[in-house]
Amino acid sequence: MSQPLLEVEGVVRRLGGRRVLDGVRLNLARGQCCVLSGDNGSGKTTLLRILSGLEAADAGMLRFQGVQTRLPGYPDDWRLRVVYVHQHPYLFHSSVAGNIAYGLKARGEPRETWRQKVEEAIDWAGVRDVVAVPPQKLSGGEKQRVAMARAKVLSPQLLLLDEPTANLDADGRRRTMELLARLFAEGVSVLIACHDRELIELPGVQRLHLENGKLL
Amino acid sequence: MGLLEPTREAFALLLQGDPELLQIIWLSLWLSLAAIALISPPSIALGLLLAKRRFPGQRAMVVLVQALLSFPTVVVGLVIYLLLSRRGPLGSFELLFSPSAIVIGYMVIAFPILVVFTVSAVQGADPRVYETARSLGASRIRAGLTILWEVRFGITAAVVNAFGRVVSEVGCAIMVGGNIAGLTRNMPTAIALETSKGDFAQGIALGMVLMALALGINILMALLQGEGGLK
């Protein structure tokens, strides 16, 4: 059996005396889509933030592509392979294309290659018709799709999406679901925290449920 | 003595482009711009650091910089005077009563304004800016620069405010510059000198220039804040 992409063991996160995560353990295979459900405050976002290195855990171990780290340590080069998208994504005060290009530029990608990739990502996300609109003026669904394109263009080995369909109108939700389906089809490894019943019940996804800081 | 005649003379000086007056205005602007250009990068970097990083003594540093804001400029001038005077530790550089001494004084005065405004702007930034940048693979420095870009209106307001403060500064400039005609005499020190001599025309003319500058700076800040509000 091939080595899992990500192994998580005994992750503990305490906040104000409460164990938000209480010994979480999970394995994620390469190319797998995993949906993490749970009530508000169950620790879904906290777990995703820990996996992306944005938040420190109090204890636990991560093994990513066979490389192990003891939390709260987080190797800096993992940030080039694991990308997290907020529930309400922040788009920088630049253009849509500038936002999508941000990570490529940060990685020192040559101009001629990132321009091509950005153009492809714009089409992938279906945001060609809003490229001239200031990002702050986009709808919630459009922002979500730009943020997904901005993450996907980096070809991450693990994509962490926090409630990608929450607070979207019907059209925004439908188009985001289409993008997610395309991600799954392309074999991108994705871990999604969500409440969305339709997303949780998608065929072929691994389902996990967090309750009182424990993974069921 | 009426105000009408000196005011009329002041307008005449301005309209005729009196060379002495223009030289004083030019020197004031040049010294202020040089000081702001030199002190802005390190002050903004320190402001970013104080706002984003936690380290021992960080809180004390913020309090110290805030305290510097309320230091009388004449005391700043006195300290710089003592440092630059012939018997001071920096006396060998022979900077006292030179334009460089005024630039140093201006830098010291502008420093806390720039730092405190930057801390405030960065702390007011959306926390997702830094997180998004880091998650997209940006280094800490690049993510920090991204924050500064996102709060650029606040940073620009800091720079404009600091410029406004130093261009109208008199206490420190007189102490370390010596108010030497053609060398270190700037607008505020010239106003103080000419008024004490009873020559109000030049003082009024320079006062009008300073007020126009203050008005221009405030209009610019209002425009920047309006622009920032569109976010």
Side-chain angles (χ1 to χ4, degrees):
Chain A
M1 191 183 136
S2 68
Q3 185 185 52
L5 176 75
L6 174 72
E7 293 168 76
V8 179
E9 275 180 27
V11 171
V12 175
R13 177 73 171 125
R14 295 183 199 91
L15 277 175
R18 177 178 155 245
R19 281 191 168 222
V20 178
L21 297 176
D22 190 7
V24 169
R25 186 174 188 279
L26 74 90
N27 283 356
L28 188 69
R30 214 173 291 269
Q32 185 172 33
C33 173
C34 180
V35 177
L36 184 63
S37 59
D39 293 338
N40 286 336
S42 61
K44 303 186 299 293
T45 297
T46 305
L47 180 59
L48 259 55
R49 289 171 60 81
I50 288 170
L51 297 181
S52 61
L54 292 178
E55 193 167 327
D58 294 298
M61 186 277 293
L62 299 182
R63 188 177 293 115
F64 183 63
Q65 295 182 313
V67 178
Q68 183 176 314
T69 188
R70 191 145 292 282
L71 295 168
Y74 194 88
D76 226 26
D77 64 310
W78 287 13
R79 293 178 198 279
L80 301 176
R81 291 181 275 165
V82 179
V83 179
Y84 170 79
V85 179
H86 286 94
Q87 177 176 352
H88 301 287
Y90 185 89
L91 298 185
F92 302 120
H93 286 80
S94 124
S95 60
V96 166
N99 267 278
I100 296 173
Y102 183 92
L104 294 168
K105 290 184 192 172
R107 285 160 161 76
E109 186 115 4
R111 187 183 175 86
E112 53 274 19
T113 57
W114 67 246
R115 290 191 83 147
Q116 174 69 21
K117 286 182 180 177
V118 167
E119 289 302 314
E120 287 168 8
I122 287 171
D123 289 331
W124 177 84
V127 289
R128 174 71 60 194
D129 53 333
V130 293
V131 280
V133 178
Q136 279 61 41
K137 306 272 183 199
L138 297 176
S139 70
E142 288 162 345
K143 282 182 182 169
Q144 185 63 248
R145 295 204 303 280
V146 171
M148 284 171 68
R150 183 170 67 179
K152 197 259 180 190
V153 78
L154 301 172
S155 306
Q157 276 140 31
L158 176 59
L159 185 55
L160 305 168
L161 302 175
D162 195 359
E163 304 274 7
T165 55
N167 308 315
L168 299 184
D169 59 18
D171 182 56
R173 190 172 166 283
R174 178 185 59 77
R175 297 184 71 173
T176 302
M177 287 293 286
E178 284 171 7
L179 279 192
L180 290 171
R182 220 177 295 170
L183 276 176
F184 304 161
E186 291 170 19
V188 179
S189 308
V190 193
L191 178 57
I192 305 173
C194 76
H195 280 106
D196 192 322
R197 185 57 51 195
E198 189 184 345
L199 197 49
I200 294 167
E201 289 172 358
L202 275 179
V205 301
Q206 181 187 358
R207 293 175 198 87
L208 298 168
H209 187 75
L210 258 177
E211 201 170 297
N212 298 324
K214 291 185 188 295
L215 209 52
L216 305 177
Chain B
M1 183 203 66
L3 271 177
L4 204 60
E5 185 57 20
T7 306
R8 194 191 61 76
E9 285 176 37
F11 274 111
L13 285 173
L14 286 171
L15 293 174
Q16 287 160 11
D18 179 65
E20 190 189 340
L21 199 71
L22 292 181
Q23 201 271 336
I24 291 171
I25 294 169
W26 167 247
L27 187 76
S28 275
L29 294 177
W30 166 238
L31 295 181
S32 304
L33 285 171
I36 295 300
L38 288 170
I39 199 63
S40 289
S43 305
I44 292 168
L46 180 64
L48 177 65
L49 191 74
L50 289 174
K52 285 308 289 179
R53 301 285 292 173
R54 297 284 165 266
F55 54 87
Q58 178 218 23
R59 185 81 201 122
M61 272 185 86
V62 173
V63 171
L64 180 69
V65 174
Q66 282 173 336
L68 285 175
L69 268 182
S70 51
F71 263 40
T73 57
V74 73
V75 176
V76 173
L78 175 65
V79 172
I80 296 171
Y81 183 97
L82 293 173
L83 289 171
L84 298 182
S85 65
R86 206 171 281 273
R87 282 178 292 172
L90 303 175
S92 59
F93 291 104
E94 296 183 349
L95 291 174
L96 197 59
F97 303 136
S98 73
S100 301
I102 297 183
V103 170
I104 293 169
Y106 283 176
M107 284 163 66
V108 174
I109 292 165
F111 170 76
I113 299 170
L114 289 161
V115 175
V116 168
F117 268 65
T118 303
V119 168
S120 167
V122 172
Q123 283 180 340
D126 192 318
R128 291 173 302 166
V129 175
Y130 186 77
E131 291 186 353
T132 303
R134 289 290 279 155
S135 185
L136 292 170
S139 64
R140 283 198 174 92
I141 291 174
R142 192 180 186 112
L145 292 174
T146 303
I147 297 177
L148 292 181
W149 173 252
E150 293 299 301
V151 298
R152 59 193 178 277
F153 299 112
I155 302 295
T156 311
V159 173
V160 169
N161 204 303
F163 176 79
R165 182 82 170 79
V166 297
V167 80
S168 58
E169 205 292 313
V170 62
C172 176
I174 280 191
M175 289 199 74
V176 302
N179 206 8
I180 303 165
L183 183 68
T184 60
R185 183 166 300 166
N186 61 14
M187 284 194 275
T189 60
I191 292 173
L193 179 76
E194 298 306 327
T195 306
S196 69
K197 290 193 322 196
D199 180 4
F200 294 104
Q202 196 181 69
I204 292 172
L206 291 169
M208 286 194 288
V209 174
L210 271 180
M211 296 218 336
L213 261 176
L215 187 65
I217 285 167
N218 276 290
I219 290 172
L220 185 61
M221 279 177 60
L223 287 173
L224 289 173
Q225 280 159 3
E227 190 77 11
L230 289 175
K231 280 191 275 192

